[in-house]
Amino acid sequence: MEPRKVAMYYTLIYIAIFIILSLIYRNFFNTVLLTFIAVMIVDAVASFITRFLHVPKRIATVIALLIYFFALIWGLVMIVPNAFTQIADFYKLITDIIEKRTWEQYINNEELINALNALVDFIEPSVAQLANYLLREAAAHIPGVIVVLFFSILGAVYVSLYAHHIVQVVPLLYPRKCRDGINEFLSELKINMRRFIGVIALNAVIVGIAFALLFRFMNLPYAPLIAFWAFLTNFIPIVGVIFEFIPIFLFSLSLGLTGMFWIITFSILIHLSVFIFFFEAMKGYARVNPVLMIFSILITSEIFGPVGIFFGVPAAVFVVVFYKQFIKAQLESE
């Protein structure tokens, strides 16, 4: 059998094993996902340091790890606790806005008002159920979250420091005759995945900080909560922007026309900026079709649950590189 076909079949078998293990052991999947994202971010930062400061990759990796963990600890100590203490008040504010139909003050079209009211009447029970579900799930999974966080931190350190050795071991899982093709596949996958996740992480940081500064500048409450929410949802391209904007827009209804105008205008400008930056940064790398990305997010969330949403982007990048290296090459050779 042709080496490329052998490599493709072996890769599909290993993917199937990973999916089965992930479905059986959810903490295993969560740990692998967080470790993988952390390693890609650290590797992207290390590459940036190596390129512009001209230091050895090993030293750059250590510096990148220190930066990553400083940001992680700062977020866990300064942002996350403040954000969680504001959830109850923010949820109460949003439910008050919904119950009072605040948008009716800004809309003169009766048909549009009736349509919005009907839509809200439909989704309002789901919002309450979702909030109760999230609270129950958060309380039930706190021990698991601690375990996943601990092992993902260890994994990020060891995989980042010994990534080169791990990459050398992976081809040994394949027959000798197809190892050159696998090395090429792994190299392209690493380059594209590092750039893709690195840019998304940077966009998430930019949007989170931007909303924090806006809310501080406008002297508005809930700055830590909104910043954390914007940061988290922007790890989910396209779909995440919708998740981010709904609570922010509902909150803006309580600020009057002027406040709502500035919030909406700022949201459009900041997302337009990171959108342009994303496509500029991804020039020359694997382009993931937005439709493929959305379907990937939907499929991974259905398979792996809410955490699977964050796996949609890496899965989409993998599919694009896998298609280019194996399926497309196979189709063109026949």
Side-chain angles (χ1 to χ4, degrees):
M1 187 181 293
E2 185 184 349
R4 194 178 296 274
K5 276 189 177 181
V6 175
M8 181 179 69
Y9 291 142
Y10 267 80
T11 302
L12 290 174
I13 291 171
Y14 292 137
I15 292 171
I17 293 172
F18 170 75
I19 292 175
I20 292 171
L21 288 175
S22 298
L23 291 174
I24 297 174
Y25 306 106
R26 287 302 175 93
N27 282 346
F28 163 78
F29 170 75
N30 296 338
T31 302
V32 170
L33 176 60
L34 288 179
T35 301
F36 177 75
I37 292 175
V39 169
M40 289 294 100
I41 293 173
V42 168
D43 190 54
V45 174
S47 297
F48 177 85
I49 294 172
T50 300
R51 180 178 178 182
F52 290 97
L53 298 182
H54 306 290
V55 298
K57 185 63 182 288
R58 187 80 170 182
I59 297 175
T61 300
V62 173
I63 296 173
L65 279 169
L66 293 175
I67 294 173
Y68 174 79
F69 286 117
F70 173 78
L72 180 65
I73 293 170
W74 181 77
L76 291 175
V77 174
M78 301 298 295
I79 302 296
V80 175
N82 291 332
F84 274 87
T85 57
Q86 295 177 343
I87 288 178
D89 289 339
F90 186 79
Y91 175 73
K92 185 177 183 302
L93 174 66
I94 296 301
T95 54
D96 287 342
I97 290 172
I98 293 175
E99 290 174 359
K100 294 175 181 177
R101 303 294 196 260
T102 306
W103 52 87
E104 294 180 358
Q105 303 173 21
Y106 313 111
I107 301 175
N108 296 323
N109 189 312
E110 186 175 349
E111 292 183 357
L112 180 58
I113 290 175
N114 291 335
L116 287 174
N117 289 341
L119 177 63
V120 170
D121 289 336
F122 175 75
I123 67 173
E124 187 175 1
S126 300
V127 172
Q129 292 175 4
L130 176 62
N132 292 330
Y133 169 78
L134 290 176
L135 289 174
R136 290 197 305 268
E137 288 295 303
H141 290 86
I142 286 177
V145 168
I146 295 173
V147 171
V148 168
L149 188 61
F150 174 76
F151 282 103
S152 63
I153 289 174
L154 287 181
V157 173
Y158 283 104
V159 176
S160 295
L161 292 176
Y162 299 101
H164 179 69
H165 300 287
I166 294 173
V167 171
Q168 289 180 331
V169 169
V170 172
L172 300 179
L173 300 173
Y174 291 80
R176 186 187 302 274
K177 65 178 181 179
C178 63
R179 288 176 186 173
D180 290 339
I182 284 299
N183 281 324
E184 182 183 346
F185 168 69
L186 291 175
S187 177
E188 183 171 356
L189 181 64
K190 177 187 174 183
I191 292 171
N192 286 281
M193 197 75 75
R194 177 180 64 194
R195 175 56 67 98
F196 208 93
I197 293 179
V199 173
I200 287 176
L202 183 57
N203 283 353
V205 170
I206 291 172
V207 174
I209 292 175
F211 271 105
L213 294 176
L214 174 69
F215 272 60
R216 293 295 187 190
F217 177 77
M218 296 180 66
N219 199 26
L220 298 175
Y222 309 116
L225 178 61
I226 294 299
F228 178 72
W229 179 248
F231 168 78
L232 191 66
T233 52
N234 274 271
F235 266 96
I236 314 168
I238 304 174
V239 180
V241 176
I242 300 173
F243 293 151
E244 171 210 309
F245 186 69
I246 290 175
I248 293 175
F249 172 72
L250 290 175
F251 171 75
S252 71
L253 292 173
S254 66
L255 305 177
L257 282 174
T258 302
M260 185 168 62
F261 169 79
W262 285 114
I263 293 289
I264 294 175
T265 302
F266 178 84
S267 299
I268 294 172
L269 291 176
I270 190 64
H271 283 293
L272 181 62
S273 300
V274 297
F275 180 78
I276 294 172
F277 170 73
F278 175 81
F279 278 97
E280 285 296 320
M282 289 305 298
K283 281 184 177 179
Y285 293 83
R287 293 294 182 92
V288 181
N289 189 291
V291 177
L292 172 62
M293 199 180 300
I294 291 172
F295 275 103
S296 179
I297 292 170
L298 290 174
I299 292 171
T300 53
S301 63
E302 283 293 323
I303 295 175
F304 301 111
V307 179
I309 293 175
F310 299 96
F311 189 59
V313 172
V317 176
F318 180 88
V319 168
V320 169
V321 177
F322 183 85
Y323 173 81
K324 179 182 177 182
Q325 286 289 323
F326 297 118
I327 300 177
K328 183 180 179 180
Q330 188 68 34
L331 292 175
E332 291 180 351
S333 65
E334 294 180 354

